[in-house]
Amino acid sequence: MGIKMNDAFPSKWLKADDLQGRPVKAVIQETLMEDIGDDHKPVIYFRGKEKGLVCNKTNFESIAMDLGDDTDLWVGQTIELYPARTNYAGKTVPCVRVRMPAGVAPPPRQAAPAIRREEPPPNDGHNAPIDDDIPF
């Protein structure tokens, strides 16, 4: 068996290949600003997942449309990650996009509750366990 790119050059960031060609539901654990190369970008981490998603403006706006633009409101919410393609530097390249899962209504927007980081988020019906087998 040959060597695959992800095996030869592992990344701590989620890539389209990690989704194995299919959509994956994931519960947002937290969003942190981190240094990514020369930039400072938001990175979304998911409950039970190792890799974070470096969040570009397109994905941030997509989540914000449903959950609000305060990332504290995203904690405990389920989103769907799916592989797609985008144009980058004149080439079509694989990417990860986000959306609300089919049949899941976004929660009503409200002020962010005062949640201490070490406490688990409240169970508001959107914290369903994720039963996929994709190990990202």
Side-chain angles (χ1 to χ4, degrees):
M1 178 179 227
I3 298 170
K4 294 189 176 192
M5 176 78 99
N6 278 343
D7 295 333
F9 304 99
S11 171
K12 70 183 224 174
W13 312 119
L14 182 63
K15 296 186 285 188
D17 287 347
D18 295 322
L19 301 177
Q20 299 174 359
R22 63 186 175 117
V24 175
K25 292 179 187 172
V27 177
I28 297 173
Q29 179 174 314
E30 66 181 338
T31 303
L32 304 172
M33 291 299 293
E34 295 191 23
D35 291 327
I36 310 295
D38 293 335
D39 294 322
H40 199 63
K41 295 185 177 188
V43 178
I44 303 171
Y45 290 94
F46 303 98
R47 194 174 298 154
K49 304 294 183 187
E50 218 174 276
K51 294 184 177 186
L53 174 66
V54 177
C55 191
N56 60 25
K57 188 174 182 179
T58 299
N59 286 341
F60 195 103
E61 288 176 342
S62 181
I63 297 170
M65 284 176 45
D66 291 312
L67 301 179
D69 67 357
D70 180 346
T71 60
D72 284 344
L73 297 175
W74 302 0
V75 175
Q77 301 302 318
T78 301
I79 62 171
E80 188 170 73
L81 310 165
Y82 64 97
R85 293 187 179 119
T86 191
N87 289 320
Y88 179 76
K91 293 182 178 181
T92 300
V93 296
C95 66
V96 175
R97 291 287 185 237
V98 298
R99 61 185 170 214
M100 292 300 293
V104 174
R109 291 192 188 176
Q110 56 189 0
I115 297 176
R116 299 174 73 181
R117 292 282 181 207
E118 57 273 359
E119 294 177 19
N123 187 350
D124 58 5
H126 295 283
N127 297 339
I130 304 302
D131 60 356
D132 66 60
D133 58 357
I134 296 180
F136 65 84

